[in-house]
Structure formats: structure tokens, C-alpha cells
């Protein structure tokens, strides 16, 4: 995803048309990597397209249209498979099995909004250029992704947005905004001090380390009971491996909260699973 974002930005800065082609192809390949990646890129590009529409920048609009067009062409096999999935006789049961939640309640994470606002604030009293609009569009696009269920009615695991696409772009935007911070008069004075650069680097490193440590600790505490319960099923999976054949089928209940789950049987044992869903 990072490479696609870089090439999109470079294609908007350059007059070389082949950069738009490469960016479009890479964006299309994201369809086969992770659904959260291509939706994030599409959301950010859509916001950026309307920004250029309001600013009457035809050339940039054409480049974004080229990226959209080529990416859609590359993604045709993906959409054909998706169409088959929608017409699968057990599609509704699969939605329920995958814990798809029906909701239209807005998701407005304070940490994401605050971080985005601080990054955009670094452009205060600076020339509003492509860099600003690019970062602005994808930060807003990330917020749109978190709230896509307001339109679709289907919540797509908000934690995946925050943990993969949104957080990744926030980190990239943070490092880009450091150049703006350097130009602030107060920071310039500090930079004149011999040891200031080492101090600033140390502060940033400590802050990033503490944030990463806190996130890992929060994940551990919130998932400890769940994975402890999973580990307690180790003897069950070992028994299946030692006393069953690969062709044997294990009857599972995908709608029960008890262990083992169907996915666990497929992952940790060599058996197939039978899902008792309605026809």
C-alpha cells in the first residue's frame, strides 16, 4: 500500500504519464492483497478528486481518473469472484458466520481525529500545496472508511482500519509534517543549539516507543482471556491429529461462543469441518 501511495503522489507531482499507469496498476493489485488497503486508497483518492474539482485543476483530475480506470481494469477478476459470492446460496449464512454487524452508528475515534488535526496544523501559515491536500484527503478518507457502514449498513471491523491503513498513513504523515515543524521560529532557535538535534531525536524516539508499548499492552490485556482459552484446547487438537484421518470431518457450531471454533480446527488440525447452516 505504501508503494502505491508514493507512486500516486509522484504521479501527481510529475508530468510523466507512465507514473499514473504504474500507480493505477499497483492500486489495482491491492484488490488481491487486503480489502482494507484498496478501499482506503480509493477513499483518499475520491476526496482528493473532489478537492481538485473545487480547485479546478484539470490535469490532476485526469491523472486520478487514469489511476481509477487502470485499477478497475486490473481488479476485474476480483469483481467477478465477488459477484459469484453475492449469488452463493449460503451468502447470508456466511455473513452471519463471519460476524458481520449491521449498524449505521458513526465511529469517531478521538485519537485519530486529534492526531490528524495536529498533523494538518503544522501547515499553519505555510503555503497550501499538493502535500497538504494529499495528506488532508487521505486522513479524511481514513475517517470515511471507518464510517462506510453509515451508507452500506455493514460494519467492516473498525480495528482493521485503525491497525493497518489509517495508522500507517498517520505515521507517514507524521514524518512528513516534521519538515514543517522545523520551520517554526521557536524550533529554529532550538536547532541552533549544538545538542538540540540529538535531544529532539531522543524525544521522538521515546514517544514512539511508549506509544507502541502502550498499544501492545492494551492488546495483551484485551485479548488475554480469549487466547488463554484457545491455548487450553491444545490437547483437543493433538487428539484429533493422533486419532483421526485427514479425510475425517468434525461437526462444529459456527454460531456458538464455545471452543473449538471451526477456523481453529482447520488451522491446528488436519480435518475438515462441517458447518450446520440452513439450506
Amino acid at each position: 500500500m505504501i508503494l502505491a501511495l508514493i507512486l500516486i503522489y509522484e504521479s501527481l507531482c510529475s508530468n510523466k504519464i507512465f507514473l499514473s499507469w504504474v500507480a493505477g496498476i499497483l492500486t489495482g493489485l491491492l484488490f488481491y492483497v487486503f480489502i482494507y488497503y484498496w478501499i482506503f486508497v480509493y477513499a483518499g483518492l475520491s476526496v482528493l478528486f473532489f478537492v481538485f474539482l473545487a480547485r479546478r485543476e484539470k490535469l490532476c483530475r485526469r491523472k486520478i481518473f487514469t489511476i481509477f480506470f487502470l485499477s478497475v481494469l486490473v481488479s476485474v477478476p476480483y469483481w467477478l469472484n465477488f459477484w459469484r459470492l453475492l449469488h452463493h446460496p449460503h451468502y447470508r449464512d456466511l455473513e452471519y458466520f463471519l460476524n458481520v454487524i449491521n449498524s449505521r452508528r458513526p465511529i469517531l475515534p478521538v485519537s485519530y481525529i486529534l492526531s490528524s488535526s495536529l498533523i494538518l496544523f503544522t501547515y499553519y501559515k505555510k503555503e497550501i500545496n499538493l502535500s497538504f491536500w494529499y495528506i488532508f484527503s487521505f486522513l479524511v478518507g481514513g475517517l470515511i472508511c471507518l464510517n462506510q457502514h453509515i451508507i452500506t449498513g455493514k460494519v467492516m471491523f473498525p480495528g482493521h482500519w485503525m491497525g493497518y491503513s489509517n495508522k500507517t498513513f498517520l505515521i507517514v504523515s507524521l514524518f512528513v509534517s516534521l519538515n514543517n515543524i522545523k520551520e517554526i521560529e521557536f524550533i529554529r532557535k532550538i536547532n541552533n543549539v549544538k545538542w538540540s538535534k540529538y535531544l529532539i531525536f531522543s524525544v521522538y524516539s521515546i514517544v514512539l516507543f511508549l506509544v507502541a508499548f502502550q498499544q501492545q499492552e492494551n492488546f495483551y490485556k484485551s485479548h488475554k482471556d480469549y487466547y488463554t482459552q484457545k491455548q487450553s484446547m491444545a490437547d483437543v487438537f493433538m487428539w484429533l491429529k493422533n486419532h483421526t484421518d485427514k479425510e475425517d470431518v468434525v461437526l462444529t457450531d459456527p454460531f456458538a461462543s464455545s471452543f473449538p471454533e471451526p477456523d481453529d480446527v482447520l488451522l491446528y488440525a488436519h480435518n475438515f469441518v462441517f458447518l450446520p447452516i440452513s439450506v
Side-chain angles (χ1 to χ4, degrees), residues 99-233:
N99 296 319
V100 175
I101 302 173
N102 297 317
S103 174
R104 298 186 186 274
R105 183 179 180 181
I107 299 176
L108 301 172
V110 176
S111 59
Y112 180 79
I113 295 175
L114 180 60
S115 301
S116 301
S117 300
L118 290 174
I119 289 172
L120 294 176
F121 183 74
T122 62
Y123 285 87
Y124 179 65
K125 290 186 178 181
K126 284 181 58 66
E127 180 183 358
I128 304 301
N129 53 16
L130 176 61
S131 174
F132 171 83
W133 290 119
Y134 188 81
I135 291 177
F136 168 83
S137 298
F138 279 91
L139 290 177
V140 173
L143 196 60
I144 292 174
C145 289
L146 283 170
N147 292 277
Q148 56 78 33
H149 59 278
I150 295 178
I151 299 175
T152 64
K154 307 290 184 181
V155 180
M156 293 181 59
F157 299 102
H160 286 190
W161 295 118
M162 292 303 299
Y164 296 100
S165 57
N166 292 17
K167 183 185 295 183
T168 300
F169 192 78
L170 266 177
I171 294 173
V172 173
S173 301
L174 173 64
F175 281 100
V176 172
S177 65
L178 292 180
N179 289 326
N180 299 332
I181 296 175
K182 290 179 181 179
E183 297 180 9
I184 299 176
E185 184 176 354
F186 172 73
I187 301 298
R188 283 181 179 178
K189 292 180 179 179
I190 295 179
N191 283 334
N192 292 329
V193 182
K194 184 177 181 180
W195 45 262
S196 62
K197 293 182 179 180
Y198 299 102
L199 175 63
I200 294 174
F201 176 79
S202 300
V203 170
Y204 276 121
S205 299
I206 292 172
V207 169
L208 289 175
F209 175 80
L210 291 176
V211 170
F213 180 83
Q214 186 64 44
Q215 289 180 340
Q216 293 298 322
E217 184 181 23
N218 291 340
F219 183 88
Y220 170 77
K221 290 180 179 179
S222 61
H223 294 81
K224 179 182 177 180
D225 294 338
Y226 174 76
Y227 285 107
T228 300
Q229 191 176 3
K230 265 196 173 186
Q231 290 173 354
S232 67
M233 302 300 298

Side-chain angles (χ1 to χ4, degrees), residues 5-16 19 63:
L5 290 172
I6 292 173
L7 283 172
I8 290 171
Y9 182 79
E10 290 297 326
S11 67
L12 295 173
C13 295
S14 173
N15 292 324
K16 299 178 181 178
L19 286 176
K63 291 178 180 179

